[in-house]
Amino acid sequence: MQPASIAAEIALDAVEKSFGNTPVIPPLSATLGAGEFTVVLGPSGCGKSTLLNMIAGLEPVSAGRIRIDGQEVQDWEPKDRGCAMVFQNYALYPHMTVAENIGYALKVAGIARAERQQRVEGAARVVQLGDLLDRRPGQLSGGQRQRVAIARAIVREPRVLLFDEPLSNLDAKLRHGMRMELSHLHRRIGATSVFVTHDQVEAMTLADKVLILNEGRIEQFGTPHEIYHFPASLFVAGFIGAPAMNLIEVEGDGTALRLPDGTALAGSAHRGRAVLGIRPEKLRIAEDGLPATIVYREDLGSHAVLVVRLGSGQEINVSTPLGGDTVAADQLSLHLPEAHVHLFDPASGQRLNVTQGQVR
Ligand SMILES: Nc1ncnc2c1ncn2[C@@H]1O[C@H](COP(=O)(O)OP(=O)(O)OP(=O)(O)O)[C@@H](O)[C@H]1O
Ligand SMILES: [Mg+2]
């Protein structure tokens, strides 16, 4: 198959959506780069599918403009937009072979048999289904069926590939394999891709850029590295990472960030209330740190997650490699490296520290 699609930039310009009187997406603007793999990530009901459907043309916008490759498309029919979509429930025609399923849209479009066959074989090769073209969907595994759905989308040589949770029906092992395949596929065909999921592992592993949605608003639009290491808001900080980032209410006195009982957690020039964030794996078990009591431990084989209680009563998560002694003890002592401390405004939830938390 030709590196099919001429990748196109997608520009969302104050795109809005309401269902009746209920606003679902307030004006939203973002530019998804040509050939980039953008993952739209957010909790259930935040508007991910709605956003994708507006790009595809399956759902009209309430206001705003969508440009694909510079052309305003928000009033165009879905079939004219050059987008192909892969859904979670990729209904294949059970009575058709894999080849017929993949080529159906081309047949409907009146493309001649010889060209159709060539394109179907090309698309099947891309998703490594070349040997299964004569099978019927009932004779395929879940992952193979998913690949048929993807081949059916790419055979049309779209400018834009849209995925709505295409992996959520697969088991964990298959999902891992499909993530790898999707990533390779993206590099081979180079179409601009938008992939909706609520699975942060998919987002972190597949994305060039992650667009994090919360109640229809963009919380952050950045690379996986940026959203993990430099979360723009409390929402992103709490949403990305497992176990989740520890978020602790503190008061800064200009020299240190302190718990209500006065305990200093980390040095800082910040004054006033703040939420301190620190990832469980960034806490250091040190000789002379904050005393803490282990109240719960989970041994995950490769590492352990400890729930520890500080002197103030505050409980936090610590993720640590399995080192016999420290993990076996009931007490330990913790250090919060300043470079890994994130600070957020408790009222707005926005990130406060622009210099700290950057060095990784
Ligand atoms: N046709 C509709 N009419 C009214 N409300 C709708 C309609 N479609 C979606 N909504 C509402 O819009 C909001 C966003 O829905 P959407 O399907 O985009 O969420 P999502 O982020 O894809 O969620 P999920 O992860 O569960 O698929 C939800 O509150 C939903 O109830
Ligand atoms: Mg959805």
Side-chain angles (χ1 to χ4, degrees), residues 201-224:
V201 176
E202 282 172 18
M204 295 301 286
T205 53
L206 284 170
D208 293 316
K209 297 274 284 291
V210 185
L211 193 156
I212 300 186
L213 271 192
N214 177 24
E215 297 183 351
R217 281 171 224 282
I218 299 180
E219 289 274 344
Q220 190 165 2
F221 185 30
T223 63

Side-chain angles (χ1 to χ4, degrees), residues 85-92 98 101-102 123 127-129 132 137 140-154 161-171 174-175 177-179 181-182 185 195-196 202:
M85 203 152 167
V86 183
F87 297 97
Q88 175 183 352
N89 298 311
Y90 39 91
L92 302 177
V98 167
N101 265 287
I102 297 173
V127 296
Q128 287 155 27
L129 280 175
L132 305 176
L140 299 176
S141 73
Q144 289 165 338
R145 280 199 287 268
Q146 184 56 271
R147 280 187 267 160
V148 176
I150 294 169
R152 195 171 58 174
I154 62 178
L161 269 171
L162 305 172
F163 299 91
D164 196 347
E165 310 230 17
L167 308 185
S168 48
N169 286 341
L170 307 179
D171 68 38
L174 210 47
R175 286 169 82 115
M178 284 301 297
R179 279 207 303 274
E181 286 189 14
L182 274 175
L185 178 81
F195 185 102
V196 161
E202 282 172 18

